[in-house]
């Protein structure tokens, strides 16, 4: 293989790594898990006065558990369906179609 082919393969690997690293599902899932843990802890340590204010419903606990569930959903979704960057052929085809239409 030529040096050019090695360079192209290296760039494709870096592109795939960047696509996985900056996937929005990772950021959203991570934030929801972190905030969910914080709010769940606040719900577990709620006093009777706090519960009385919310008509004896532990809002922090239920909201925290919901946030944890949503965050885990995003992270599991990311694991099951990882982001795949487009190949060079797909990009070239899209560029050719774009110039043909315009």
């Amino acid at each position: 293989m030529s040096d050019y082919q090695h360079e192209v393969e290296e760039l494709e690997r870096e592109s795939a790594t960047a696509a996985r690293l900056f996937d929005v599902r990772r950021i959203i899932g991570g934030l929801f898990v972190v905030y969910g843990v914080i709010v769940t802890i606040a719900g577990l340590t709620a006093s009777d006065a706090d519960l009385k204010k919310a008509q004896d419903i532990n809002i922090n606990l239920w909201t925290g558990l919901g946030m944890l569930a949503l965050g885990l959903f995003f992270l599991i979704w990311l694991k099951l369906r990882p982001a795949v960057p487009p190949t060079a052929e797909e990009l070239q085809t899209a560029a050719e179609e774009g110039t043909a239409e315009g």
Side-chain angles (χ1 to χ4, degrees):
M1 278 210 237
S2 69
D3 290 337
Y4 178 73
Q5 287 176 327
H6 288 294
E7 187 174 329
V8 168
E9 289 174 359
E10 180 64 29
L11 288 172
E12 285 177 350
R13 274 186 295 235
E14 290 175 5
S15 175
T17 302
R20 284 190 299 276
L21 182 63
F22 295 111
D23 193 347
V24 174
R25 296 174 293 180
R26 178 183 312 265
I27 296 167
I28 292 172
L31 285 174
F32 267 99
V33 167
V34 169
Y35 291 145
V37 168
I38 293 169
V39 174
T40 301
I41 290 171
L44 291 173
T45 60
S47 66
D48 290 335
D50 293 333
L51 293 176
K52 196 129 187 127
K53 283 188 220 177
Q55 298 178 350
D56 292 327
I57 298 172
N58 197 340
I59 302 251
N60 284 338
L61 179 64
W62 289 109
T63 303
L65 291 174
M67 291 174 79
L68 276 172
L70 183 64
L72 290 174
F73 167 76
F74 273 96
L75 295 176
I76 291 170
W77 180 23
L78 175 69
K79 187 71 169 173
L80 295 176
R81 305 270 318 235
V84 178
T87 62
E89 293 83 21
E90 291 173 345
L91 290 174
Q92 184 177 5
T93 303
E96 289 172 358
E97 289 175 357
T99 56
E101 291 175 5

